[in-house]
Amino acid sequence: MEFITRNFKWLMLVSGALTATMFYGLIAPQAALESMFGASFNGTLESIIIRSWSALVGLIGIILIYGALVEKHRAFAAAICALSKAIFVSLVITYGQAYLAKATPAIIMDIVFVAFTIIYLAAVRTQRSAA
């Protein structure tokens, strides 16, 4: 567990950088939707929703990077981001089976992050209890 607590910030940095790339959807919502899910849209409302979603996901990436760099807030940032990623994975698996093939890389990355976050939070709690 010590290995995970020592190196978790690197997972947060990599995951944060990859997650922050979703800011791309603010500029090109159609391209972002097609690259992530292989789907397209035709309307102003869809454009607003995709741009908003892209901004929120991009902000999760920024929170991950911040948490990686500021140890004091690492556990909180990781927990919030893991919850967000777990919700996304759950929604895609539950309601978006048609998009699973295209979204698989993001889903795998998010599942790995959630799993390691759970291990990290358990390790931090164990360390605090021992202290």
Side-chain angles (χ1 to χ4, degrees):
M1 290 238 205
E2 185 181 326
F3 176 79
I4 291 173
T5 56
R6 265 195 340 250
N7 295 296
F8 188 69
K9 69 179 177 182
W10 299 111
L11 176 62
M12 288 182 77
L13 282 171
V14 170
S15 182
L18 291 171
T19 303
T21 64
M22 283 309 298
F23 277 124
Y24 172 60
L26 283 168
I27 301 162
Q30 184 77 270
L33 186 64
E34 287 176 12
S35 71
M36 186 73 177
F37 298 104
S40 61
F41 67 88
N42 56 359
T44 305
L45 179 60
E46 291 92 344
S47 178
I48 292 168
I49 291 170
I50 292 164
R51 288 173 195 259
S52 174
W53 174 75
S54 294
L56 291 171
V57 173
L59 288 170
I60 290 294
I62 298 300
I63 291 169
L64 281 168
I65 293 167
Y66 174 78
L69 299 175
V70 181
E71 186 174 4
K72 175 181 171 184
H73 298 127
R74 188 168 297 153
F76 178 74
I80 294 299
C81 295
L83 181 60
S84 172
K85 289 174 177 293
I87 291 168
F88 169 73
V89 169
S90 299
L91 289 171
V92 173
I93 290 171
T94 303
Y95 300 107
Q97 291 89 8
Y99 307 108
L100 280 175
K102 191 72 173 172
T104 295
I107 290 170
I108 290 170
M109 181 186 88
D110 287 352
I111 289 171
V112 166
F113 183 80
V114 169
F116 277 101
T117 299
I118 291 168
I119 295 167
Y120 171 77
L121 293 173
V124 167
R125 184 175 179 158
T126 302
Q127 287 175 348
R128 287 183 183 157
S129 295

